[in-house]
Amino acid sequence: MQRELLWFMEMIPPSYRERKNNDGLTPYELFTKEHKELVTQGEKWMKGIASQCMVVAALIATIVFAAAFTVPGGYDQTNDKTNGQQNWIPVFHSKASFMVFVVADAISLFASSTSILMFLSILTSRYAEHDFLESLPTKLMLGLATLFLSIMTMTVAFSVSFFVLYRKGLLWMPIIISVFAVLPVLLYMVLQYSLFIDVIRSTYASRYLFKPQKHVLYYRNPKV
């Protein structure tokens, strides 16, 4: 659909864009009529991907939100001698690994929330012809990128939590778990790499299909 739009914008000179044919249709109206099926297929494809990815992003957001309040090691529930109240401070709050857990969990939550909003905007889009030129592909790229970031940071938070809990005596356990935790991230990269690259190429590489300074199909009359 992107290529069709680029060809249409290049083939129709500005002086002909408001003219009507024998059926009373302008070039744009005729383009819309002839590409209804292509728009329908594109809408179905985009909504299918957005729906499935949004479910995954929502699950990640739910998990990392709950993890933020169930920190590894729990909270210090001893009474404060100054005011007689319980501290409720995380036991490992002074550890650098605990700070990595908190930051990774927060980034995962923000990234998954952004991904949900991106995919939601795809589902609620108008799906006009010009939306397929930049708007929809850009939203899809941002959604996939933020979803990948949320998965990666969620994995980091999961792995670091084991380092916090088993930092003494059982260090081999979090190391092995961290190695296996990388597998879902790599699997996501392998499965979504071709889609992500295709969207980037079709969105940004297509801009150079026709050079604004070098029109291929028609030339403007030079000013005297």
Side-chain angles (χ1 to χ4, degrees), residues 94-111:
S94 60
K95 302 295 181 181
S97 55
F98 180 82
M99 296 305 299
V100 174
F101 167 82
V102 173
V103 172
D105 189 82
I107 294 176
S108 182
L109 177 61
F110 299 148

Side-chain angles (χ1 to χ4, degrees), residues 4 6-13 16-17 210 217-218:
E4 292 291 325
L6 290 173
W7 275 103
F8 171 77
M9 294 168 62
E10 181 67 18
M11 289 176 64
I12 306 300
Y16 285 84
R17 292 178 182 176
F210 301 109
L217 299 179
Y218 72 91

Side-chain angles (χ1 to χ4, degrees), residues 17-179:
R17 292 178 182 176
E18 299 300 327
R19 295 188 181 184
K20 296 183 179 181
N21 60 7
N22 295 332
D23 297 328
L25 298 175
T26 62
Y28 182 76
E29 292 173 345
L30 182 61
F31 178 86
T32 302
K33 180 180 178 181
E34 295 295 329
H35 290 79
K36 283 184 178 179
E37 183 64 24
L38 189 59
V39 171
T40 302
Q41 294 177 1
E43 179 180 354
K44 183 179 180 181
W45 181 79
M46 292 286 287
K47 284 186 175 180
I49 292 180
S51 299
Q52 296 171 9
C53 293
M54 190 167 68
V55 171
V56 177
L59 289 174
I60 294 175
T62 303
I63 293 171
V64 296
F65 181 83
F69 299 99
T70 55
V71 297
Y75 298 91
D76 183 8
Q77 300 183 17
T78 58
N79 293 329
D80 191 350
K81 296 181 180 180
T82 58
N83 52 24
Q85 296 180 355
Q86 291 182 331
N87 292 318
W88 292 104
I89 298 176
V91 175
F92 300 108
H93 71 281
S94 60
K95 302 295 181 181
S97 55
F98 180 82
M99 296 305 299
V100 174
F101 167 82
V102 173
V103 172
D105 189 82
I107 294 176
S108 182
L109 177 61
F110 299 148
S112 59
S113 300
T114 304
S115 181
I116 292 174
L117 293 177
M118 289 294 102
F119 292 125
L120 182 62
S121 65
I122 292 176
L123 294 175
T124 57
S125 177
R126 301 176 304 164
Y127 287 95
E129 290 84 0
H130 284 282
D131 291 339
F132 288 91
L133 193 59
E134 290 187 9
S135 176
L136 289 174
T138 301
K139 292 177 182 178
L140 180 60
M141 284 188 295
L142 290 175
L144 292 174
T146 51
L147 180 58
F148 171 74
L149 179 61
S150 66
I151 294 175
M152 183 177 64
T153 49
M154 179 188 67
T155 303
V156 171
F158 174 79
S159 301
V160 170
S161 64
F162 279 87
F163 279 97
V164 173
L165 295 175
Y166 301 101
R167 68 190 189 282
K168 293 181 180 180
L170 297 175
L171 187 60
W172 58 270
M173 181 182 294
I175 293 176
I176 294 177
I177 292 175
S178 300
V179 171

